[in-house]
Amino acid sequence: MLEMNPAPVLVEDMIALTQRLYHEARLLDAERFEDWLELLCDDVTYRMDLKRRRFRADRSPPAAVGAGVVFNENFARLKLRIDRLRSGYVWAEDPPNFVRRVISNVEIEPADAENEVIVHSVIVIHRNRIDGLARQFTAGRTDRWRHGTQGWCLAARDIALDHAVLPDSNINVFF
Amino acid sequence: MRIERIGREPEFSQYMDLKEGWLDRRIFSDAEIYEEELYRIFARSWLFVAHESQLPKAGDFLTTHMGEDAVIVARQPDGSIKVFLNSCPHRGNKVCFADAGNTRRFVCNYHGWAFDTGGELKGMHEEYCYDEIDIDRKKNGLKQVARVAGYKGLVFATFAEDGPSLDAWLGDFRWYLDMLLDNEEGGTELIGGCIKSVINANWKFGVENFIGDAYHAGWTHDSGCRSMNNGEPFPPVDMENSYHASVNGHGWEFGTEGVGDLFLLGRPKVMEYYERIRPKMAQRLGEMRSQIFGSVASASIFPNVSFLPGISTFRQWQPKGPMEFELKTWVIVNKAMPDDIKDEITKGVMQTFGPGGTFEMDDGENWSNCTTVNRGVVTRHERLHYRCGISRQIEHDTLPGIVYRGQYNDANQRGFYQRWLDMMEADKLDAMPERPEPRLTGVSETRDVPGLFAL
């Protein structure tokens, strides 16, 4: 629904955050994972929930316990993933895959905390894998970015992956 | 159900010699062999279709596949479970596109034919266009599978009217299965939903990886292990006290150290939980099984279900052509566990063997390349080596099945392909050999066999 009176967001913030998203995408495309980590708050949460295709009229409750998640990460877990990628033993990434992220539909709105904003965006990830196999993921993202002494840092990311069946054997990429 | 292709071309023994230990690569990519697999294996095996816990109430349903045949699995008002084709008898359209849910009716999108949750035709759009002589509703329901049966929470179905009962199909493998399904009072449940992913590989590569390929773990998953384990690689396996066990194509490879897979899950609370219930598990299942559970282990149920006991990933490899399968993964836990343990296990599974997990990410690429490289017209005629541990078969007082010593082994894989061959060549399921002769015939509950029986 169109917000008729959206709370104003400063043009400078708009530009700074949009640039952050683009920058982040470029760091990840270039496998500069450690630099990317520096854009994250220490208390960052990074989630991708599992979705199911259900009838619209189906009102039965979703599973209460252990609701499925593909990613449910904190800073340490993200770092562990990066350590793994850096271990030199990831055969499936050697030679490296070509990965390119496209970020779009950036929309910013105020958050509850004064130094935070909510940032909506869409990400499309192209992967060209071993033997030239090309795959594409599309997802919506809802982020919370926090302004501190380092500028804007990512405090939370919820990823809504738009695939009922993952079109690849793994999702070994950061969204 | 008559499978009219059976009996046409029983020349599949040319594709392997399991005493010598080799396979022909064409079974992993040839379209005609794949088509025969759908008839001879998938249309005649007992196939996993659901876990009871996914369908707690009347009207609960889920959609899945038996081979490439789409089916609906639905809980009936009387508590029973029915399985029928997800295809309208009018023009063949799919009648249910949801993954799961609760409903009173399945209504076809095309002409509004409506079926109840038992698959019976209950009504059509503009019914007046049919004269009485045109249609017998009783005969135009959704086609039911031949048989449905359950084993400790797992629901299986088969299109074959003849052939073994589910208990006989699982046979002595129930002794192993109970370590997963019955290690604590109350049984198991699947939680957290199902993740589906597409892998460009032959379905058998997934099954054989879980049925016996402990060998790949230390190399393929080196990066995952080091990241979970302070930079340390997998420890070498104890070849003296670890085993392969194969029963009619089902297989379980395992150590007896009790903690390896629990450690890989990376969740100390879960480890503590199992250590707490282990004495009870020993009373329940016998000393031997309580030592096996939690060890580095993996298993498959013929033809296409696999799991890691201790790590709690449970999965099915659904064939989608010779060079593609859909992988469905769930998390399996004990119902009796407190919610926080279930939650820990769910997180642990997703972080290790979910599609974004630190171990899972390494596998798909290998299976995919094992499959697609066989397009080469010369390559496809080269044999594959399946000879590891070929002379290490032993007789074991406690362990049922065809048992080989040493977890690094191709024995269970050979057992799987032997069953594959038996089914591909058998005109009648009843004529298939038992491999090995069962010990537990007539035993309805493996808990009554407290880990030891005389040979």
Side-chain angles (χ1 to χ4, degrees), chain B residues 365-385:
Chain B
E365 209 78 58
N366 290 334
W367 302 332
S368 182
N369 289 310
C370 287
T371 303
T372 54
V373 74
N374 291 315
R375 280 202 191 95
V377 296
V378 175
T379 310
R380 75 177 65 154
H381 290 283
E382 291 295 305
R383 289 170 177 182
L384 296 174
H385 187 275

Side-chain angles (χ1 to χ4, degrees), chain A residues 17-76:
Chain A
L17 282 159
T18 310
Q19 288 295 309
R20 264 282 135 111
L21 295 185
Y22 295 162
H23 182 56
E24 203 198 348
R26 189 163 61 83
L27 291 178
L28 289 171
D29 290 350
E31 300 192 346
R32 289 168 59 187
F33 301 120
E34 291 76 9
D35 294 341
W36 178 66
L37 276 181
E38 295 197 358
L39 300 181
L40 310 183
C41 300
D42 293 342
D43 61 342
V44 67
T45 61
Y46 180 95
R47 274 183 78 91
M48 180 188 286
D49 285 316
L50 192 58
K51 287 197 278 192
R52 276 219 289 200
R53 284 153 54 85
R54 293 173 74 135
F55 289 124
R56 290 174 194 272
D58 192 343
R59 298 274 182 263
S60 59
V65 177
V69 288
V70 181
F71 293 112
N72 182 9
E73 313 289 75
N74 55 22
F75 191 89

Side-chain angles (χ1 to χ4, degrees), chain A residues 53 66 69 81 84 129 135, chain B residues 99 192 200 350 356 362 365:
Chain A
R53 284 153 54 85
V69 288
R81 286 178 182 280
R84 172 182 167 280
R129 318 206 50 203
R135 292 282 194 237
Chain B
D99 293 327
N200 290 105
M350 289 309 154
D362 305 310
E365 209 78 58

Side-chain angles (χ1 to χ4, degrees), chain B residues 20 94 144 147 160 220 260 288 339 351 374 389 395 430 447:
Chain B
E20 284 298 313
K94 216 170 190 181
Q144 304 285 330
R147 289 180 287 165
T220 294
M288 184 74 175
D339 285 355
Q351 286 169 359
N374 291 315
E395 291 294 326
D430 294 327
R447 289 205 308 269

Side-chain angles (χ1 to χ4, degrees), chain B residues 234-270:
Chain B
F234 275 96
V237 299
D238 175 352
M239 291 292 278
E240 193 58 26
N241 298 300
S242 65
Y243 304 90
H244 269 214
S246 172
V247 179
N248 283 341
H250 317 301
W252 197 297
E253 61 84 14
F254 53 94
T256 49
E257 83 318 303
V259 294
D261 269 6
L262 294 177
F263 174 79
L264 286 178
L265 185 67
R267 295 278 156 175
K269 272 183 170 172
V270 177

Side-chain angles (χ1 to χ4, degrees), chain A residues 1 5 11 32 35-36 40 42 47 50 63 69 71 76 85 88 108 118-119 131 135 142 149 151 158 167 174:
Chain A
M1 193 178 78
N5 296 300
V11 174
R32 289 168 59 187
D35 294 341
W36 178 66
L40 310 183
D42 293 342
R47 274 183 78 91
L50 192 58
V69 288
F71 293 112
L85 289 166
I108 297 168
I118 304 295
V119 181
D131 275 1
R135 292 282 194 237
T142 304
T149 50
D158 281 320
F174 295 107

Side-chain angles (χ1 to χ4, degrees), chain B residues 326-346:
Chain B
E326 182 176 292
L327 169 59
K328 299 171 83 172
T329 64
W330 298 267
V331 177
I332 188 165
V333 297
N334 292 348
K335 270 188 201 157
M337 286 170 170
D339 285 355
D340 65 315
I341 295 296
K342 291 179 184 175
D343 209 46
E344 286 277 313
I345 291 176
T346 312

Side-chain angles (χ1 to χ4, degrees), chain B residues 111-408:
Chain B
H111 301 89
W113 285 30
F115 306 87
D116 68 11
T117 55
E120 202 170 308
L121 180 61
K122 287 296 178 188
M124 303 96 109
H125 174 62
E126 314 289 31
E127 260 189 87
Y128 55 78
C129 69
Y130 286 93
D131 300 323
E132 203 174 318
I133 190 178
D134 291 352
I135 185 160
D136 179 349
R137 286 190 186 193
K138 286 266 175 293
K139 288 182 180 158
N140 282 279
L142 300 170
K143 171 78 184 171
Q144 304 285 330
V145 301
R147 289 180 287 165
V148 180
Y151 185 73
K152 297 198 176 181
L154 305 187
V155 182
F156 293 80
T158 178
F159 290 118
E161 266 153 21
D162 60 348
S165 67
L166 177 63
D167 273 1
W169 175 264
L170 297 172
D172 285 7
F173 199 61
R174 293 171 299 159
W175 190 87
Y176 294 98
L177 272 182
D178 284 356
M179 285 188 277
L180 176 78
L181 301 175
D182 200 10
N183 68 47
E184 192 177 9
E185 188 65 36
T188 59
E189 59 184 346
L190 299 186
I191 58 170
C194 168
I195 300 184
K196 295 189 272 190
S197 53
V198 169
I199 302 186
N200 290 105
N202 185 272
W203 64 276
K204 295 189 287 300
F205 277 122
V207 183
E208 71 142 74
N209 178 272
F210 273 67
I211 211 165
D213 197 340
Y215 177 48
H216 86 293
W219 184 259
T220 294
H221 300 301
D222 200 9
S223 63
C225 184
R226 285 173 196 262
S227 66
M228 303 283 288
N229 192 21
N230 300 316
E232 295 295 317
F234 275 96
V237 299
D238 175 352
M239 291 292 278
E240 193 58 26
N241 298 300
S242 65
Y243 304 90
H244 269 214
S246 172
V247 179
N248 283 341
H250 317 301
W252 197 297
E253 61 84 14
F254 53 94
T256 49
E257 83 318 303
V259 294
D261 269 6
L262 294 177
F263 174 79
L264 286 178
L265 185 67
R267 295 278 156 175
K269 272 183 170 172
V270 177
M271 178 93 91
E272 284 164 28
Y273 180 82
Y274 281 118
E275 287 315 312
R276 224 169 32 246
I277 69 164
R278 200 181 293 273
K280 267 195 174 163
M281 204 188 294
Q283 284 172 11
R284 192 175 181 82
L285 299 175
E287 199 62 39
M288 184 74 175
R289 286 191 283 185
S290 80
Q291 287 164 11
I292 294 172
F293 183 83
S295 303
V296 172
S298 62
S300 296
I301 304 173
F302 190 92
N304 69 333
V305 164
S306 299
F307 51 87
L308 299 176
I311 291 184
S312 304
T313 176
F314 186 91
R315 56 192 42 213
Q316 188 165 31
W317 323 90
Q318 300 281 31
K320 302 281 177 197
M323 295 178 139
E324 183 174 312
F325 64 77
E326 182 176 292
L327 169 59
K328 299 171 83 172
T329 64
W330 298 267
V331 177
I332 188 165
V333 297
N334 292 348
K335 270 188 201 157
M337 286 170 170
D339 285 355
D340 65 315
I341 295 296
K342 291 179 184 175
D343 209 46
E344 286 277 313
I345 291 176
T346 312
K347 283 183 185 152
V349 171
M350 289 309 154
Q351 286 169 359
T352 52
F353 283 91
T358 41
F359 292 98
E360 184 76 19
M361 295 190 286
D362 305 310
D363 282 321
E365 209 78 58
N366 290 334
W367 302 332
S368 182
N369 289 310
C370 287
T371 303
T372 54
V373 74
N374 291 315
R375 280 202 191 95
V377 296
V378 175
T379 310
R380 75 177 65 154
H381 290 283
E382 291 295 305
R383 289 170 177 182
L384 296 174
H385 187 275
Y386 277 78
R387 219 179 132 77
C388 183
I390 201 149
S391 68
R392 289 203 295 262
Q393 188 174 353
I394 56 165
E395 291 294 326
H396 198 286
D397 291 346
T398 312
L399 302 171
I402 298 171
V403 178
Y404 277 68
R405 195 181 290 285
Q407 195 161 19
Y408 287 175

